Amino acid sequence: MARSTEAPKSEFLERVIQINRCAKVVKGGRRFSFNAIVAVGDQHGRVGVGLGKANEVADAIRKAGETAKKNFFAVPITRAGSIPHAIVGHFGAGEVLLKPATPGTGVIAGAGVRAVLEAAGVQNVLTKCLGSRNPHNLVKATVDGLRRLRRPSDVAAMRGRTLSELLGTGAPHAS
């Protein structure tokens, strides 16, 4: 009987963004521990980011993945595979500008921001890091921006208007 040595394939894309080694000085020398930032997403508009800390790299990555799955949220993605509107995400000193892009552009982003956007399933977007270059803050700023995105239909409903009224494609108003 042949056994499969491969683990069952997960339906989620898991991207390790950064692994950091921390040193604690103790009597006998240094004790090392690790922390990892991981982005997990289904590539269809759901994504989560997690931070895991452990004494081994593999354990830190596993913990980060579990935390990311607990922090899942929905991202509105247009038919063109982009985001509905431009937005600046903030976290601490980290600021990330996310701009919609035309089909065929791809994901123009740095490592941490790219991992989060690809896990979410965004295919065409332009980004710019405006503040701190710290990967922890950049990833959290990206998540902040994605969480604050709104679909045009949601904004229209919030304002009590139809989508055509909001976009100005309906009949002109009598003034």
Side-chain angles (χ1 to χ4, degrees):
M1 185 164 86
R3 282 195 167 178
S4 175
T5 56
E6 295 177 27
K9 195 72 176 156
S10 173
E11 71 271 20
F12 299 119
L13 173 73
E14 198 167 299
R15 283 281 177 86
V16 177
I17 296 167
Q18 190 195 31
I19 297 171
N20 188 32
R21 186 179 78 169
C22 299
K24 177 182 179 182
V25 179
V26 293
K27 191 168 74 176
R30 292 184 184 90
R31 177 152 305 148
F32 296 109
S33 66
F34 299 89
N35 65 41
I37 314 172
V38 174
V40 176
D42 65 356
Q43 295 184 299
H44 297 291
R46 288 177 58 219
V47 70
V49 172
L51 176 66
K53 299 178 181 185
N55 290 331
E56 299 293 329
V57 175
D59 291 340
I61 293 171
R62 181 185 50 76
K63 284 182 181 179
E66 289 169 3
T67 307
K69 285 176 186 164
K70 288 178 189 169
N71 296 330
F72 258 41
F73 64 95
V75 177
I77 298 175
T78 62
R79 282 191 215 101
S82 190
I83 55 177
H85 55 87
I87 195 161
V88 178
H90 303 270
F91 185 87
E95 289 185 13
V96 175
L97 168 68
L98 304 168
K99 281 175 76 172
T102 56
T105 305
V107 178
I108 310 297
V113 177
R114 173 185 296 272
V116 176
L117 293 170
E118 286 178 351
V122 178
Q123 294 158 347
N124 301 298
V125 69
L126 300 168
T127 68
K128 179 69 180 140
C129 169
L130 301 174
S132 161
R133 302 284 198 268
N134 178 335
H136 288 263
N137 289 344
L138 280 186
V139 166
K140 289 176 183 172
T142 305
V143 167
D144 173 63
L146 292 175
R147 279 187 194 268
R148 291 188 302 135
L149 285 174
R150 297 285 175 258
R151 284 190 172 86
S153 56
D154 295 344
V155 175
M158 207 166 52
R159 296 182 187 178
R161 297 184 168 217
T162 65
L163 193 57
S164 58
E165 284 177 338
L166 185 74
L167 299 174
T169 56
H173 296 285
S175 40

